[in-house]
Amino acid sequence: LVAEVGAKKAVVVESPLEVAAGITEALRSRGVTVYNEPSDIAAHAETADIGISGVEFGVAETGSVFQDGGAIATRLVTILPPLHVVFLPSATIVPGITEAFDIISRSFDRGYVGFITGPSRTADIERVLTIGVHGPSRFAIIAVDETPKGGEA
């Protein structure tokens, strides 16, 4: 993906899977400038080529992922760069939206939370389909079958 989009700048909200995979180091070794401090993310998210973050769980029924967006850096990484890449522990994929809302009701009682399903789509301007008007034009989910410390998830 990095080579495909010609990425020169990335904003990264560190997550256990991202750290375990050594993504920041891999990006830097390819000449990509990485910003992962909240203040740096705020300053560079709008001009970054890639945003990378982790997510709490996935929803098989809709192909969505659920993210705790309590931190402003997380929200910036998910919406401003043209490509958003998320790391998802595959063991956290639930069958449907009902199970997703059960988890949310037990675990999240305040803050910003959201489902991410892919690039926004609209056809309300002259009935012409436009992708990525609100947020990234591309979205990639990397589902990982191992825990950050190794072993099966």
Side-chain angles (χ1 to χ4, degrees), residues 1-9 30-32 48-50 83 138:
L1 285 174
V2 173
E4 185 179 320
V5 300
K8 300 289 181 217
K9 187 191 296 189
R30 287 179 168 74
V32 177
D49 302 302
I50 299 177
L83 170 60
R138 292 186 66 190

Side-chain angles (χ1 to χ4, degrees), residues 78-93:
T78 65
I79 196 136
L80 292 177
L83 170 60
H84 181 210
V85 178
V86 298
F87 284 84
L88 167 69
S90 62
T92 65
I93 297 172

